Every structure is written in structure tokens, then in C-alpha cells.
Amino acid sequence: MAITPDHVREIFRGLETGDGGAFFEHVAGDVDWTVMGTHPLAGHYLSKRAFQEATFGKLGKVLPKGAQLHVTNLIVASNVAVVELVSDAIARNGMRFDNHYCWVVRFEGDRIVEVRAYLDSALVAGLFRQNPV
């Protein structure tokens, strides 16, 4: 089954509305998720739980209203989507966290099974330097 742009937008709508649970319903439990870079969230995670704890769990401690992600562009080819996102968040110390992301997402059926996430490492490092957890 080929993934459509409309279907990908619908899946990511959960992140845009602050309903991470709705998004993560579409992520396989054994997802292979790599967050690229050299910052406190970077790493290679081999499960949905490990990814959530290491990234969204940490971000939740420094971004009171979450990352507030919005899809700005997407490209779909067969079972792969390239999704560009931007965050519009404010840290607990008042720091603006307007990060830009590019996620390369591979699907098997309706499930996200692999993600490579690219983002501004310096901005993430600064976020945690100014807002220690």
C-alpha cells in the first residue's frame, strides 16, 4: 500500500494539535528511530518507548506547552515520506524554541517503522544548557 500525502498529513495532525498519542498510534512499537546530531536528544532508538522517553520526555520538562510542531512541507514516494516541520515553542525560561526539522519516515502499511530526524543541534543544546533537567 502506497502512502498518500493526505494520509501522512492526517497522521501528523496529532503532533500539530498537541495529541501526541494520536500520532504515536501510527508508530510501530519496534520503530527504528535515529535523531541525528550532537545534542541531548540525539541517538539511535530501537523502540517507540525508548524514543519517547529520551526525546519527548526530556522536552516536556523544558517546554511547558510541548514542542508545538507544525508540518510545513511533505514529499511522498511509495512508502517513504519526507516531512518538514517547525516548532513554535517557548521554554520554561522564556527562550524561543523555533526549531526546524526534517523527518525521513518509512512506512510498512499504515505503521511508521523507521525515522531519521534532522534538526538544529545547536538550538537543542542551547535549550538544555539554559533549561537544565
Side-chain angles (χ1 to χ4, degrees):
M1 168 182 146
I3 297 299
T4 66
D6 287 341
H7 187 65
V8 173
R9 282 193 187 279
E10 184 60 33
I11 290 170
F12 275 79
R13 187 164 287 121
L15 292 179
E16 292 181 311
T17 61
D19 185 1
F23 170 80
F24 281 105
E25 286 178 13
H26 297 278
V27 177
D30 62 348
V31 67
D32 182 341
W33 199 309
T34 304
V35 179
M36 307 302 231
T38 54
H39 53 82
L41 305 179
H44 185 201
Y45 307 102
L46 297 177
S47 73
K48 176 170 38 177
R49 182 177 177 185
F51 169 75
Q52 289 173 305
E53 289 174 358
T55 59
F56 279 67
K58 288 179 185 175
L59 284 171
K61 294 175 182 176
V62 297
L63 300 175
K65 294 184 180 179
Q68 299 180 292
L69 295 169
H70 303 282
V71 174
T72 58
N73 190 33
L74 66 89
I75 301 167
V76 176
S78 184
N79 68 336
V80 175
V82 178
V83 183
E84 291 180 292
L85 305 111
V86 63
S87 65
D88 182 26
I90 299 176
R92 67 174 187 236
N93 74 336
M95 173 189 170
R96 294 278 330 153
F97 187 71
D98 300 330
N99 209 334
H100 294 262
Y101 306 82
C102 182
W103 291 3
V104 180
V105 181
R106 186 171 60 84
F107 288 83
E108 285 182 5
D110 193 31
R111 291 266 180 239
I112 296 171
V113 296
E114 183 181 7
V115 180
R116 286 186 319 277
Y118 301 86
L119 56 134
D120 182 340
S121 289
L123 185 60
V124 174
L127 173 70
F128 286 99
R129 192 171 38 258
Q130 291 184 37
N131 297 272
V133 289

